């Protein structure tokens, strides 16, 4: 059942990526994000994460909920395994995942139950 005004429809190719400073990322500006939905009250938190060529996000975990990634383009390296477009990876709450990297750059559709705000992140580095 849909309630008018509660659903979100986004034309993602019309949304501009914004800086997304994830703690411990090298280089610090190596990740940007297209913020599709950051309001968990309106559905799954949805972002498109863009990892620049050569950028690296350290291994980490989240306490606030699970996370899932769907590779849209490029080479997404998850814990040393290179994944291409169409690959899907999910991580339960509290499970260490990553590091995440890309040799050529990639875009990943990321779904979460809670927004990981770079200013106050539920992001616990384990390396």
């Amino acid at each position: 059942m849909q309630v008018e005004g509660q659903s979100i429809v986004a034309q993602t190719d019309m949304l501009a990526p914004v800086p997304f400073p994830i703690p411990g990322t090298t280089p610090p500006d190596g990740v940007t994000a297209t913020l599709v939905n950051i309001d968990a009250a309106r559905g799954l938190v949805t972002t498109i994460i863009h990892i620049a060529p050569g950028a690296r996000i350290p291994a980490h975990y989240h306490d606030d909920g699970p996370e899932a990634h769907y590779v849209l383009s490029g080479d997404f390296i998850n814990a040393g395994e290179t994944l291409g477009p169409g690959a899907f990876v999910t991580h339960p709450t509290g499970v260490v995942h990553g590091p995440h990297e890309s040799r050529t750059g990639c875009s990943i559709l990321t779904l979460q139950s809670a927004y990981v705000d770079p200013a106050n992140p539920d992001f616990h580095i384990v390396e």
Side-chain angles (χ1 to χ4, degrees):
M1 176 168 91
Q2 253 181 343
V3 177
E4 188 172 313
Q6 299 298 313
S7 297
I8 293 175
V9 176
Q11 195 65 40
T12 60
D13 59 349
M14 303 295 286
L15 301 173
V18 297
F20 204 73
I22 297 174
T25 296
T26 54
D29 62 351
V31 175
T32 59
T34 303
L35 305 177
V36 181
N37 175 40
I38 60 172
D39 182 358
R42 296 190 68 195
L44 286 171
V45 171
T46 308
T47 55
I48 300 172
I49 301 295
H50 309 279
I51 302 174
R56 181 178 189 275
I57 301 168
H60 60 280
Y61 66 93
H62 309 285
D63 286 327
D64 290 346
E67 179 176 68
H69 306 293
Y70 179 80
V71 182
L72 298 170
S73 64
D75 67 308
F76 174 56
I77 304 169
N78 179 63
E81 180 181 4
T82 301
L83 304 170
F88 177 80
V89 181
T90 188
H91 315 288
T93 304
V95 170
V96 174
H97 52 282
H100 303 313
E101 307 172 76
S102 183
R103 281 187 293 281
T104 63
C106 64
S107 294
I108 305 143
L109 177 67
T110 299
L111 304 170
Q112 298 165 291
S113 59
Y115 178 56
V116 178
D117 181 353
N120 186 21
D122 168 33
F123 187 92
H124 308 282
I125 298 173
V126 296
E127 334 184 283

